[in-house]
């Protein structure tokens, strides 16, 4: 829209900035298909577009490849909101739950994964595949407070 017009600014504020989401039992978005990456650096595995700021709960199932012989895993991680919240994966499917905050409307949420294995005593490393499936984002609009103004 034309953000030089007050009506467009008011509509944007009402539609995107005044709404706040909180974690709930309601599935807002989901992507159930399995996806994998095999990279020593983080690569995007799933992408979601969140229309509203708020706190979101994300659940997913994930695992890494098993390692055999002299190979040992260095890391196999997936993160949702920040790398500081990265979860370390095992060779078995497990369910993970992460809650995080999105502060801007129309935010792209990229779920990223990476894996690395090495063969001691050498420093040689190779990518270790990580897998994700059954990703669900849970949230619903938070009740508006009586102190909130309206634009109507």
């Amino acid at each position: 829209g034309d953000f030089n017009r007050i009506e467009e600014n008011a509509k944007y504020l009402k539609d995107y900035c005044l709404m706040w989401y909180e974690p709930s039992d309601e599935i807002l978005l989901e992507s159930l298909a399995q996806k994998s990456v095999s990279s020593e650096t983080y690569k995007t595995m799933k992408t979601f577009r969140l229309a509203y700021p708020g706190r979101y709960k994300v659940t997913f199932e994930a695992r890494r490849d098993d390692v055999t012989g002299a190979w040992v895993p260095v890391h196999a991680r997936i993160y949702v909101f920040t790398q500081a919240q990265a979860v370390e994966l095992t060779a078995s499917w497990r369910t993970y739950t992460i809650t995080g905050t999105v502060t801007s409307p129309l935010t792209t949420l990229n779920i990223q994964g990476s894996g690395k294995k090495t063969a001691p005593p050498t420093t040689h490393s190779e990518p270790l595949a990580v897998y994700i499936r059954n990703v669900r984002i849970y949230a619903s609009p938070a009740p508006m407070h009586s102190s909130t103004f309206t634009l109507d």
Side-chain angles (χ1 to χ4, degrees):
D2 181 2
F3 287 102
N4 291 320
R5 296 175 45 107
I6 190 69
E7 296 85 3
E8 289 298 318
N9 283 319
K11 181 179 180 340
Y12 177 81
L13 285 170
K14 181 178 179 186
D15 291 348
Y16 295 106
C17 296
L18 296 180
M19 184 72 70
W20 181 263
Y21 273 63
E22 285 291 332
S24 70
D25 293 329
E26 181 179 325
I27 298 173
L28 183 66
L29 298 165
E30 64 182 2
S31 175
L32 305 179
Q34 182 173 302
K35 176 86 184 215
S36 67
V37 296
S38 187
S39 173
E40 292 183 32
T41 59
Y42 283 109
K43 300 291 182 200
T44 298
M45 300 180 76
K46 301 275 185 173
T47 299
F48 296 91
R49 184 88 161 158
L50 302 176
Y52 301 104
R55 290 184 40 80
Y56 293 85
K57 178 174 71 174
V58 179
T59 65
F60 58 90
E61 295 173 15
R63 72 171 183 89
R64 63 165 168 80
D65 268 351
D66 203 1
V67 291
T68 59
W71 291 102
V72 295
V74 174
H75 76 262
R77 299 182 186 117
I78 289 180
Y79 81 88
V80 180
F81 294 97
T82 66
Q83 287 187 24
Q85 286 183 306
V87 294
E88 192 71 33
L89 307 179
T90 67
S92 301
W93 286 105
R94 286 187 49 205
T95 300
Y96 300 88
T97 301
I98 296 174
T99 302
T101 302
V102 172
T103 58
S104 301
L106 304 174
T107 295
T108 299
L109 179 65
N110 292 314
I111 299 176
Q112 301 199 345
S114 72
K116 180 178 175 179
K117 62 184 177 179
T118 189
T122 72
T123 57
H124 173 73
S125 66
E126 291 184 5
L128 178 63
V130 297
Y131 302 84
I132 192 169
R133 67 183 183 196
N134 298 331
V135 180
R136 292 180 175 93
I137 298 178
Y138 296 85
S140 55
M144 297 300 274
H145 299 289
S146 59
S147 61
T148 304
F149 67 95
T150 62
L151 296 172
D152 287 337

